[in-house]
Amino acid sequence: MGENMPTLTAKQLEQITSRIFEAAGVPADRALQVATSLVESNLVGHDSHGVIRIMNYLRYLRTGVVDPHAEIEVLQETATTALVDAHWAIGQVAATKGMAMAIEKARQSQISVVALRHCGHIGRLGEYAMMAAEQGLMGAVLCSTGPACAAPYGGIGRVLATNPIAVAVPAGDRPPFLMDVATTVVAEGKLKLARSKKEPVPLGWILDKEGNPTTNAEDFYAGGVLLPFGGHKGYALCLLVEILGAVLTGQGSGSSPAWRGGAGVVMWAMDLQTFGPLAQFGSGVDALFEGVKAGPTARGVDEILIPGEPEFRAKQKRLRDGIPVPESVWQDIVREAEGLGVQVTEELAE
Amino acid sequence: MGENMPTLTAKQLEQITSRIFEAAGVPADRALQVATSLVESNLVGHDSHGVIRIMNYLRYLRTGVVDPHAEIEVLQETATTALVDAHWAIGQVAATKGMAMAIEKARQSQISVVALRHCGHIGRLGEYAMMAAEQGLMGAVLCSTGPACAAPYGGIGRVLATNPIAVAVPAGDRPPFLMDVATTVVAEGKLKLARSKKEPVPLGWILDKEGNPTTNAEDFYAGGVLLPFGGHKGYALCLLVEILGAVLTGQGSGSSPAWRGGAGVVMWAMDLQTFGPLAQFGSGVDALFEGVKAGPTARGVDEILIPGEPEFRAKQKRLRDGIPVPESVWQDIVREAEGLGVQVTEELAE
């Protein structure tokens, strides 16, 4: 490991993360699940959703926002639907169970929808959409988050949230299509990063608390707002996520004074074979992607990418070369680990 | 009727439109259906999808792109799904049947998906999504169109299309949520309008054929491209519509040399009652909307609008005051009508 940017294998990082959560009181199977989920985010290149979150998650456990032993309860169920109360379980555990249910139902009944309320932070939505795509189904996930930090189109107040959406569709020989986006211009993590680096953000990301456009991320933290992406169209998507994730699930809105964290999640799975042979669909998707990629590129652009390709490539590279962890994050992890009695050097030596 | 902007009631306009299509060889029930659909677009304020389309639709009929008698064939069907070949039927007839099937299936099985290929132009997608919302279900529609006229993110070639999406969700006492958008920055109709008025378009709508940003709509018609809305996020949605609308349905892509017009359509309906009483959901949605609308507005903005509110208000106004039809459009309609032996003045006198 280099001294300024430790590089670990996915397996090492999973093992350390898992031991940390076990030591913090999470049952072994759930600890492993959340560890695998966080490291998967690092593998696909989304470090903002990776092991950097260990510290937040430990705080949720310590403050009781998340209950490591919560029983995930299915409140209502049909052949095609389920309503689930996660009772503030670790989000990854709840969301994985939700998508597994959706996939099982879609296999039997072609299409399904599962709504979950009272989940802890579920991490990167793309992970759950990909569960479906990896099994030859289409998967879609939306998640109402909080606290409110985003303005509606035409507004300047904090009434919505980053409300992400993910959709994955399998291809043939090519990697699946994976769209995984906040419905705000950016997720809040990018503001945090700009603020810590004291760098300006592009105009159009945020407004200050008086509603003026600004490039200073500090203005967001002083009562400003994130904007929906793509004007009134992204606003409509952001509000749709709020309707389904907050109201339909019974989670409640991130703008409500009663909001206590966590996520309301809606997940769909769809069996594509009902419309024809999967191999035929896959080769059609491959051909479409190849046509898109073969088109002329804009100046300064080397390659047209299919959504999901950057993640696929990052994962191949990091499985091969390891996952670099910034020194400051690594020090935080080691400190937390040792505070919980987990000897990181021993874990690495195993 | 004023001399420069004839104003007709919805009923008058439907009757004239219906008679025109009947005279052009469309069976009476289908003629009435397409007339009602076009006039509904005028009612909700989307004149670009209203009776101005009569002339295009007559051209489709004359050139055989659309078959007025086509039998809409259900190729495969389960309790939750259907695959439909419309055999180039009038798009409105096919899409209305598709959503009616989706609603019926969702009533029985909570959620459903219907895929249609070889539809004529289906008009305004919001109409079909609203069919579901008006019956207390959530409805979603996407439509792969052509010919290819839009670039992928990072590209400058015509490989995608305006690929619209609509989603409608019922509220309680308030009008339903209705998102109804092209996944390009604007639909092509807005370029046509700017071109005819010789007005510049905003930067960011289109590129010229060399890939340069331009404000001249002529550059689009000289081989340029429309851009997806919201950068890589709108591109992902646009491509998703192409995957489902063009590949999954079997319609084929608007970028294919074999493309012969029309639309591939995928429609979902979801019964919200499976998650709880509809009245409770409706009042939760109303409260959410009221919270969003109560937030502070940006400078120069009078009111924060919920997607669907502009359409709802336009419809109330035009049902009361009538539908103004621009003189040039009216003259085209009268000329087509009289060419087909339909006496417009007699229809109006009835």
Side-chain angles (χ1 to χ4, degrees):
Chain A
M1 292 194 312
E3 219 169 77
N4 290 318
M5 192 69 131
T7 298
L8 289 89
T9 66
K11 191 152 181 285
Q12 287 175 320
L13 210 44
E14 274 168 21
Q15 201 160 330
I16 292 162
T17 307
S18 184
R19 291 279 191 280
I20 289 172
F21 285 117
E22 271 188 75
V26 177
D29 56 338
R30 293 187 174 193
L32 181 61
Q33 207 175 339
V34 66
T36 309
S37 170
L38 292 177
V39 174
E40 176 72 13
S41 287
N42 290 112
L43 276 175
V44 299
H46 291 283
D47 293 328
S48 62
H49 284 66
V51 292
I52 195 173
R53 299 269 173 168
I54 291 173
M55 282 60 76
N56 298 52
Y57 284 17
L58 289 172
R59 202 178 64 239
Y60 300 151
L61 288 165
R62 284 175 190 135
T63 55
V65 169
V66 162
D67 172 2
H69 303 284
E71 203 162 314
I72 296 167
E73 185 185 4
V74 179
L75 300 174
Q76 279 176 258
E77 195 173 9
T78 71
T80 55
T81 67
L83 176 63
V84 175
D85 193 326
H87 294 299
W88 308 101
I90 292 172
Q92 280 85 354
V93 176
T96 302
K97 181 182 164 101
M99 185 51 92
M101 289 179 75
I103 290 170
E104 180 59 28
K105 287 176 187 294
R107 285 205 185 289
Q108 298 296 323
S109 305
Q110 289 74 52
I111 185 165
S112 65
V113 54
V114 174
L116 301 98
R117 65 189 181 214
H118 305 152
C119 303
H121 186 267
I122 69 168
R124 193 179 60 94
L125 269 63
E127 178 182 337
Y128 313 108
M130 281 295 284
M131 281 175 63
E134 281 165 359
Q135 297 187 46
L137 293 88
M138 173 168 155
V141 184
L142 60 79
C143 177
S144 158
T145 61
C149 61
Y153 184 70
I156 61 173
R158 293 186 163 206
V159 297
L160 295 167
T162 54
N163 291 357
I165 296 177
V167 182
V169 188
D173 295 330
R174 302 189 63 91
F177 169 92
L178 172 61
M179 168 179 179
D180 186 5
V181 303
T183 53
T184 45
V185 180
V186 289
E188 186 254 335
K190 295 216 177 169
L191 300 179
K192 206 173 274 169
L193 195 66
R195 180 200 211 184
S196 72
K197 292 185 179 174
K198 298 189 193 306
E199 283 175 1
V201 300
L203 268 182
W205 284 17
I206 55 174
L207 303 176
D208 71 16
K209 68 169 185 248
E210 273 89 37
N212 302 304
T214 173
T215 61
N216 184 354
E218 291 291 351
D219 290 333
F220 171 78
Y221 293 99
V225 289
L226 271 164
L227 290 170
F229 87 94
H232 70 95
K233 299 185 182 186
Y235 157 56
L237 280 174
C238 187
L239 185 57
L240 177 62
V241 173
E242 194 88 11
I243 293 170
L244 299 178
V247 182
L248 185 67
T249 64
Q251 163 74 10
S253 178
S255 63
S256 154
W259 188 79
R260 55 160 280 192
V265 183
V266 183
M267 304 175 138
W268 290 264
M270 186 165 92
D271 184 3
L272 303 161
Q273 293 183 80
T274 187
F275 299 107
L278 199 55
Q280 185 181 315
F281 174 74
S283 64
V285 173
D286 284 354
L288 171 64
F289 289 177
E290 279 149 26
V292 168
K293 292 183 71 71
T297 58
R299 242 187 305 279
V301 173
D302 287 334
E303 183 186 358
I304 294 167
L305 294 170
I306 302 301
E309 267 189 319
E311 289 81 2
F312 181 80
R313 292 182 187 177
K315 186 167 177 176
Q316 288 186 309
K317 182 174 180 348
R318 288 183 164 189
L319 280 174
R320 190 181 61 227
D321 302 341
I323 298 166
V325 181
E327 182 62 26
S328 65
V329 174
W330 180 243
Q331 282 174 5
D332 285 346
I333 292 172
V334 171
R335 192 173 49 245
E336 290 282 10
E338 293 181 348
L340 289 160
V342 176
Q343 296 307 317
V344 170
T345 45
E346 282 174 25
E347 294 292 337
L348 290 180
E350 268 176 26
Chain B
M1 293 194 311
E3 217 168 78
N4 291 318
M5 189 70 127
T7 297
L8 289 88
T9 66
K11 191 152 180 285
Q12 287 174 320
L13 210 44
E14 274 168 20
Q15 202 159 328
I16 292 162
T17 307
S18 183
R19 290 281 191 279
I20 289 173
F21 286 117
E22 273 187 75
V26 177
D29 56 340
R30 294 187 173 191
L32 182 60
Q33 208 175 337
V34 66
T36 310
S37 169
L38 292 177
V39 174
E40 176 73 12
S41 288
N42 290 112
L43 277 174
V44 298
H46 291 282
D47 293 328
S48 61
H49 285 66
V51 292
I52 195 174
R53 299 268 173 168
I54 292 173
M55 282 59 77
N56 298 52
Y57 284 16
L58 289 172
R59 202 179 63 239
Y60 301 151
L61 289 164
R62 284 175 192 137
T63 55
V65 169
V66 162
D67 172 2
H69 302 285
E71 203 162 313
I72 297 166
E73 185 185 4
V74 179
L75 300 174
Q76 280 176 257
E77 195 173 10
T78 70
T80 56
T81 67
L83 176 64
V84 174
D85 193 325
H87 294 300
W88 308 102
I90 291 172
Q92 280 85 352
V93 176
T96 302
K97 181 181 163 103
M99 185 51 91
M101 288 179 75
I103 290 170
E104 180 59 29
K105 288 175 186 294
R107 284 205 186 289
Q108 299 295 322
S109 306
Q110 289 74 51
I111 185 164
S112 64
V113 53
V114 174
L116 302 97
R117 64 190 182 214
H118 305 152
C119 303
H121 187 265
I122 69 167
R124 193 179 61 94
L125 268 63
E127 178 182 337
Y128 313 108
M130 281 294 284
M131 281 174 63
E134 280 164 358
Q135 297 186 47
L137 293 88
M138 173 168 156
V141 184
L142 60 78
C143 176
S144 159
T145 61
C149 62
Y153 184 70
I156 60 173
R158 294 185 161 206
V159 297
L160 295 167
T162 54
N163 291 357
I165 296 177
V167 182
V169 188
D173 295 330
R174 303 189 64 91
F177 169 94
L178 173 62
M179 167 178 180
D180 186 5
V181 302
T183 53
T184 45
V185 180
V186 289
E188 186 254 333
K190 296 215 177 167
L191 299 179
K192 206 172 274 168
L193 197 65
R195 182 200 210 184
S196 74
K197 293 184 178 174
K198 298 188 194 303
E199 283 175 359
V201 300
L203 267 183
W205 284 16
I206 54 173
L207 303 176
D208 71 16
K209 68 169 184 248
E210 272 89 38
N212 302 304
T214 173
T215 61
N216 184 354
E218 290 291 351
D219 290 333
F220 170 78
Y221 294 98
V225 289
L226 271 164
L227 289 170
F229 87 95
H232 70 95
K233 299 185 182 187
Y235 157 55
L237 281 174
C238 187
L239 185 57
L240 177 62
V241 173
E242 194 88 12
I243 293 170
L244 298 179
V247 181
L248 185 68
T249 64
Q251 163 74 10
S253 177
S255 64
S256 153
W259 189 78
R260 55 160 279 190
V265 183
V266 183
M267 304 176 138
W268 289 264
M270 184 165 93
D271 184 3
L272 302 160
Q273 294 183 79
T274 186
F275 300 108
L278 200 56
Q280 184 181 316
F281 175 74
S283 64
V285 173
D286 283 354
L288 171 64
F289 289 176
E290 280 149 25
V292 167
K293 292 183 70 70
T297 57
R299 243 188 305 279
V301 174
D302 288 332
E303 183 185 359
I304 295 167
L305 294 170
I306 302 300
E309 267 187 321
E311 289 80 1
F312 181 80
R313 292 181 188 178
K315 187 167 176 175
Q316 288 186 311
K317 181 174 180 346
R318 288 182 165 188
L319 279 175
R320 189 181 62 227
D321 302 341
I323 297 167
V325 181
E327 182 62 26
S328 65
V329 174
W330 181 243
Q331 283 176 3
D332 285 346
I333 292 172
V334 171
R335 192 175 47 246
E336 291 281 9
E338 293 181 347
L340 288 160
V342 177
Q343 296 306 317
V344 169
T345 44
E346 282 174 25
E347 294 291 337
L348 289 179
E350 266 176 28

